[in-house]
Structures are given as structure tokens and as C-alpha cells.
Amino acid sequence: MKLHSTLLAASIALTLAACGGAEAPSQAPAAATPAATEAAPAETAAAPAEAAAPVETAATQAGECAFNLESNDAMQYNTKNIDVPASCTEFTIHLKHVGSMPVAAMGHNVVIAKAADAAAVAADGAALKPDHVKEGDARVIAKSNMIGGGESTSVTFEVAKIAEGGYNFFCTFPGHLAMMNGTLTVK
Ligand SMILES: [Cu+2]
């Protein structure tokens, strides 16, 4: 019985000694948690492309026997039809280029001819700078100068010459005819 107690005491002493000697420095370095949580890039929704302005809003009838026609840097007139009162003897189309591009790059004019002749008139004038209309072209009722951004011009014609109908107004700058043409309606 005595021996047993002694062994037990020794065992305890050993245990204590072991514990005492094991003084591990308890300075655990703070785990450097990478707190740099990357800010999620905000998905900026792409702004919806603005629809091109309607073509026919800005056209204005400039009095009984005239019309204010606008053209721009996007190769457009601002109307697809011009009403010409049958009561007018002469009719004038005032053309304004509201863009800023030079005439050599984005020139516009107004030529009056039968719709069926428009393509041939433009083709025959394609190489003829600066007006792009063949001199003395019998198919042409009237034509304005070719203008660039910020400029204005006008063309006047006798209404009787288009009274039978089927006439268009169009631009003969190379490549513009498909976009830039409209009807003349005598009424
Ligand atoms: Cu043009």
C-alpha cells in the first residue's frame, strides 16, 4: 500500500514536471486572413443604344410654295415626302446641311427627276465633282448645289414640270441615293 502511494506520487511529479517544462510560447501569430475581399466589379449595364431619331419629325413646310429640307452627317434627309401644292406656279426646296462634315466627305444636294431615272442620273454624275450631276442632263428638272455641313442652298422648279407625278427628290453624292431620296406629291 505504501509503495503504491509512492509510485503514484512520483507519477504525478513527473507529470507536473513535464507540464512545467513545456512552456511553449503561446504567441500564435494572428492568422493574417487576407481580408482584401475584392470588390466585385459592378456590372454596369450597357446603356441601350439610342434609336436614331425618327426621320420625319423635323421637316417643316416653309410657307405655301416652299419646303425646308434638312440633311445630316448620317446621310439622311428629314423627310421621305414633300407635298407640292398644285396651286403653286413655282416651288422651292431650301436644303440645310445640319451636320458638320465637309462637302467632300458628306456632301448633299437636291435633284428633281423621275423616280425611275434617279439611279441613272446619280450614276452618270458619280465622277463629276463637285455637283455630281451631268451638265445638261435632260432627265433633271432642277438641281441645287452640293453643300457640306453648316451650309444651305435651295432649288426652285416649275410645278407644271412635275404635275404628271412620279417625280422624286434625291441626293447624287456617290452612294447617297439609296438613303437620300423621297417623293414629290403634287396635290
Ligand atoms: Cu447626300
Side-chain angles (χ1 to χ4, degrees):
M1 187 68 173
K2 179 119 178 164
L3 174 64
H4 193 204
S5 294
T6 304
L7 283 173
L8 185 62
S11 174
I12 289 172
L14 280 169
T15 303
L16 285 174
C19 283
E23 279 191 34
S26 67
Q27 48 204 41
T33 54
T37 52
E38 305 239 340
E43 301 239 343
T44 52
E50 293 276 326
V55 177
E56 287 170 297
T57 50
T60 56
Q61 201 82 28
E64 183 76 358
C65 299
F67 187 86
N68 290 332
L69 179 65
E70 290 185 358
S71 56
N72 61 26
D73 282 344
M75 205 191 300
Q76 297 169 316
Y77 289 133
N78 62 344
T79 187
K80 285 292 189 183
N81 178 72
I82 295 174
D83 287 337
V84 179
S87 59
C88 295
T89 302
E90 290 188 329
F91 192 83
T92 299
I93 297 173
H94 299 289
L95 175 67
K96 182 177 184 181
H97 192 321
V98 299
S100 59
M101 294 175 70
V103 65
M106 186 55 72
H108 300 312
N109 65 358
V110 178
V111 176
I112 311 298
K114 279 278 192 185
D117 290 331
V121 167
D124 289 352
L128 305 176
K129 295 178 182 178
D131 283 348
H132 296 291
V133 176
K134 188 173 69 178
E135 198 63 40
D137 191 326
R139 298 164 296 192
V140 173
I141 299 297
K143 66 181 177 67
S144 75
N145 296 327
M146 190 71 70
I147 58 172
E151 298 179 319
S152 296
T153 188
S154 65
V155 59
T156 298
F157 54 92
E158 292 178 39
V159 175
K161 289 187 175 179
I162 66 164
E164 64 185 291
Y167 286 85
N168 275 21
F169 63 94
F170 52 91
C171 176
T172 57
F173 192 92
H176 288 201
L177 177 64
M179 290 274 291
M180 302 185 72
N181 77 86
T183 53
L184 290 172
T185 304
V186 181
K187 56 168 63 170

